[in-house]
Amino acid sequence: MSASSGVNVLRYSALAFGVFYGFSHQRSITASQKAAAAQKEWAHKQHLIEQARAQYAESKNPKPSSSEKSPLKQDPMDPKFDLEAYLVALDKQSA
């Protein structure tokens, strides 16, 4: 009967160890998933902040539309004449 009780002690010890290991392993998996979700949420917030900054900068400094400033329609005698923009526009038209 001594061998049988030794086997039972071994069985229950293995069972307790397995339960403890499963519990600790599940906790580590859950913690890593929470950390990954928090990192993803942080990256999403950063993306939204950068997008809002870009929209704010665009609203404060709007780009001139092509109809407002056409380099080909500018007078070369005008003091604000941009030769480089004129040449780039000519190159785009010829291509």
Side-chain angles (χ1 to χ4, degrees), residues 4 12 19 30 32 34 63 72 75 77 81:
S4 175
Y12 286 113
V19 169
T30 304
S32 66
K34 284 182 181 179
K63 295 179 183 176
L72 295 177
D75 182 21
M77 296 301 175
F81 178 70

Side-chain angles (χ1 to χ4, degrees), residues 32-84:
S32 66
Q33 287 176 345
K34 284 182 181 179
Q39 180 67 24
K40 184 178 178 181
E41 182 181 350
W42 177 261
H44 179 67
K45 286 181 181 180
Q46 287 295 102
H47 174 70
L48 290 177
I49 289 170
E50 292 300 321
Q51 194 176 29
R53 282 183 182 162
Q55 287 178 354
Y56 179 76
E58 186 177 317
S59 71
K60 288 297 178 185
N61 301 321
K63 295 179 183 176
S65 65
S66 61
S67 63
E68 291 177 5
K69 182 181 176 185
S70 176
L72 295 177
K73 294 182 181 180
Q74 291 182 350
D75 182 21
M77 296 301 175
D78 187 14
K80 295 182 180 180
F81 178 70
D82 188 4
L83 180 62
E84 181 181 2

